[in-house]
Amino acid sequence: MSENQNLLAEQRRALILDEVRRRGGVRVNELTRKLGVSDMTVRRDLDALARQGVLEKVHGGAVPVVEASTHEPGFEAKSGLELTAKEDIARAAAELVTPGTAIALSGGTTTYALAQHLLDVPDLTVVTNSVRVADVFHAAQRTSGQRQGAATVVLTGGVRTPSDSLVGPVADRAIASLHFDVLFLGVHGISLEAGLSTPNLAEAETNRQLVQSARRVVVVADHTKWGTVGLSSFAALEEVDTLVTDAGLPTDARTEISEHLRRLVVAGESEEGTDS
């Protein structure tokens, strides 16, 4: 389509990945017509997505990768996916943060994006088991100095996962001793049957502890997480107060989610569900 001719590479690749997942496979010539770009551009995009491990190239096109429930992509692999959706979600989630409160941010690329939107929220106490999230706040302090109202950051210890989260008994004990107003939780997968899940057993236990230590739980997850199930479940949907997602979430999924959650926030759209 002509309006897609000037899309950034990351936007094109997000569209390609959505198409592959939705249809179960696409051909190069279909993508060139849909995106209004050259055959060579599409093939470069497919190469890049294949290197990230999110699709598999086949003769004349691409098909989705069927991941094992134990597969855990690294932070860098995940950080290039659904960038626009994650930015929209982060912006919407930041509006739920009240100055002067204690919040927790779990590991993940969406919580990493959220952290960058919280730098100007005054007097926050931020508990996190994410090295990347902590680095966002520490880098801001190094750049601007110790300004008044800057966040106080508590980084748990623990064993580092491929997604740069700190997990295990050390992290669990640290989190269990704390209490925070709101937890912003990134997830590997979310479904009606499995609830919130992750491929990492130790991370599941640490996430379980994060949920238990929070007064409110806000899940930040783009639409591709819906229907994904990791090896270990750590919370039921009913334990989640709010889901912040993007406009790519299908209508039927929105209906199902709204029946189980108190509040559904679709970034850029009016809210569904009710507060309690």
Side-chain angles (χ1 to χ4, degrees), residues 212-223:
Q212 291 173 1
S213 294
R215 290 178 58 238
R216 289 174 51 218
V217 177
V218 178
V219 171
V220 287
D222 69 73
H223 68 280

Side-chain angles (χ1 to χ4, degrees), residues 30 41 46 53 142 208 212 232 245 259:
E30 294 171 335
T41 296
L46 293 179
R142 286 195 299 270
R208 193 173 291 118
Q212 291 173 1
S232 180
T245 188
E259 292 173 355

